[in-house]
Amino acid sequence: MKHHTRASLAIAALIGLGGAAAQAPAASIEAHLAAAKTAAGFDFTGTLARLCIAPQTAPGRDVAPGPAPARDTWIADPAKVFDNLYFVGTKLHSSWALTTSDGIILIDTLYEYASDEAIAGGLRKLGLDPANVKYVLITHGHGDHVGGAKLMQDRFKSRLVMGAPDWESIERSVNQYPNGKPKRDIVAADGQKITLGDTSVTLVTTPGHTPGTLSMIFDVKDNGRPLTVAYNGGTAFNFVNDVPHFDTYIASQRKMADAAARANATILMTNHSEFDSAVTRIRLMAARKAGEPHPYEIGREAVGRYFKVTEECAQVARLKLLQVSAR
Ligand SMILES: [Zn+2]
């Protein structure tokens, strides 16, 4: 046990935690939780609740997807959200179509059961042709985001972009793809720009949620006014819960916070409504009056606070691990 304690303290020292934090983790945990609550305010209650209050503690197992839930539990109306960005997601999961002068860049593809109706059907309802989707950016290789990748690749010949470790995890999976896997295509690199016509998306590798998680920075237009989006690609703690994994996660959240600040991002988006209130914000658009800000335009300071919530909650979870191993 003594050995464990020393190892934990050594790890704490290595990542620059003060000695006080290692000696009094309970107080430190409270301080990080308080910082997370302050950062969340009323903007990011879903993220706070999921990460700080009820964190997940283990990765999903390699099992076949269950039966599709009833349609009325997930179906959502597609919507034009910015001049060049369209929502084709579900009540829980987001998929976004970024239109360019030379076709569409699709971000994330929902669960397989929802992808045909919500993405292909949603695009058609909005007057867009799914055959024009040239690139599909997959933030990470979990079933709720990669489910429609094979459909886009097979039916519309879209090019798929994903992080190398997540391509590998799909290739390794025995049970999760009973209807076939998407075939390895473009392997994302940190800082890579995916350019289509007049539009570029800059990829930021943010390992943590999965080893290959991709976040991104891109511009949208709101009635002609250019605005920058920081898109966080992976959020929950359903990875192997040990100190090194949390260190990786925390480093990535800081990295993405920096990228968002440097790009002057005033919009924060993710792939779950739970984290960025996508469905609620889209609903609010109906009540928007001329001159009012777009419901998604929260400002640079609030975007920074989002990454503070994810980081501080990860600090809480990390310190709890140290507390356990010091016992
Ligand atoms: Zn995930």
Side-chain angles (χ1 to χ4, degrees):
M1 278 295 107
K2 211 169 187 182
H3 182 76
H4 270 124
T5 308
R6 249 191 242 129
S8 309
L9 288 173
I11 291 163
L14 268 178
I15 21 192
L17 273 179
Q23 280 154 26
S28 190
I29 287 168
E30 282 307 310
H32 283 295
L33 179 58
K37 286 179 181 173
T38 302
F42 286 107
D43 297 304
F44 307 117
T45 50
T47 308
L48 179 74
R50 176 71 173 272
L51 299 192
C52 261
I53 315 303
Q56 279 178 268
T57 53
R61 291 175 306 130
D62 184 22
V63 293
R71 180 180 177 277
D72 64 355
T73 64
W74 57 264
I75 193 77
D77 287 331
K80 180 174 185 171
V81 177
F82 288 96
D83 303 3
N84 58 334
L85 189 72
Y86 298 76
F87 176 81
V88 286
T90 64
K91 284 176 181 166
L92 297 183
H93 300 100
S94 299
S95 175
W96 298 95
L98 181 64
T99 56
T100 81
S101 60
D102 193 29
I104 298 167
I105 298 173
L106 186 76
I107 303 171
D108 283 321
T109 62
L110 316 173
Y111 275 118
E112 187 177 14
Y113 64 76
S115 57
D116 198 356
E117 181 170 7
I119 298 174
L123 287 171
R124 286 194 196 95
K125 271 191 192 166
L126 294 164
L128 300 169
D129 183 353
N132 286 336
V133 175
K134 305 284 174 63
Y135 289 104
V136 178
L137 314 183
I138 308 282
T139 52
H140 64 270
H142 284 163
D144 48 350
H145 311 294
V146 79
K150 180 177 161 53
L151 178 149
M152 298 307 295
Q153 185 174 54
D154 290 353
R155 197 188 298 170
F156 303 116
K157 310 292 171 227
S158 310
R159 301 292 311 270
L160 306 183
V161 182
M162 193 164 17
D166 287 25
W167 278 120
E168 283 154 24
S169 78
I170 290 171
E171 286 157 5
R172 267 198 314 270
S173 168
V174 177
N175 301 314
Q176 286 173 64
Y177 299 89
N179 301 321
K181 302 176 180 184
K183 283 187 289 294
R184 181 185 284 243
D185 191 5
I186 298 168
V187 176
D190 190 32
Q192 184 176 0
K193 282 189 194 317
I194 301 295
T195 300
L196 185 61
D198 57 1
T199 302
S200 286
V201 175
T202 302
L203 305 179
V204 182
T205 54
T206 50
H209 179 70
T210 66
T213 295
L214 298 177
S215 295
M216 49 198 88
I217 303 278
F218 56 91
D219 287 348
V220 293
K221 286 201 168 115
D222 177 34
N223 296 320
R225 198 164 62 97
L227 296 167
T228 300
V229 176
Y231 190 103
N232 202 32
T235 308
F237 297 163
N238 50 334
F239 44 79
V240 174
N241 276 207
D242 59 17
V243 169
H245 278 83
F246 277 105
D247 289 342
T248 300
Y249 181 100
I250 290 165
S252 289
Q253 295 308 294
R254 289 179 179 168
K255 178 184 182 184
M256 192 53 195
D258 282 350
R262 271 187 280 113
N264 201 25
T266 57
I267 295 166
L268 185 284
M269 288 184 152
T270 71
N271 41 26
H272 287 249
S273 264
E274 181 181 6
F275 303 130
D276 69 351
S277 306
V279 169
T280 303
R281 289 186 203 280
I282 291 166
R283 221 175 265 153
L284 286 171
M285 288 176 62
R288 184 185 184 195
K289 300 278 187 288
E292 287 182 356
H294 191 288
Y296 247 118
E297 190 186 356
I298 58 176
R300 196 187 149 91
E301 183 268 343
V303 171
R305 281 192 289 107
Y306 179 84
F307 293 103
K308 196 78 187 150
V309 177
T310 55
E311 179 189 333
E312 292 293 345
C313 290
Q315 296 282 10
V316 169
R318 180 185 174 284
L319 282 175
K320 284 181 179 169
L321 289 170
L322 288 174
Q323 204 176 33
V324 169
S325 62
R327 259 179 213 144

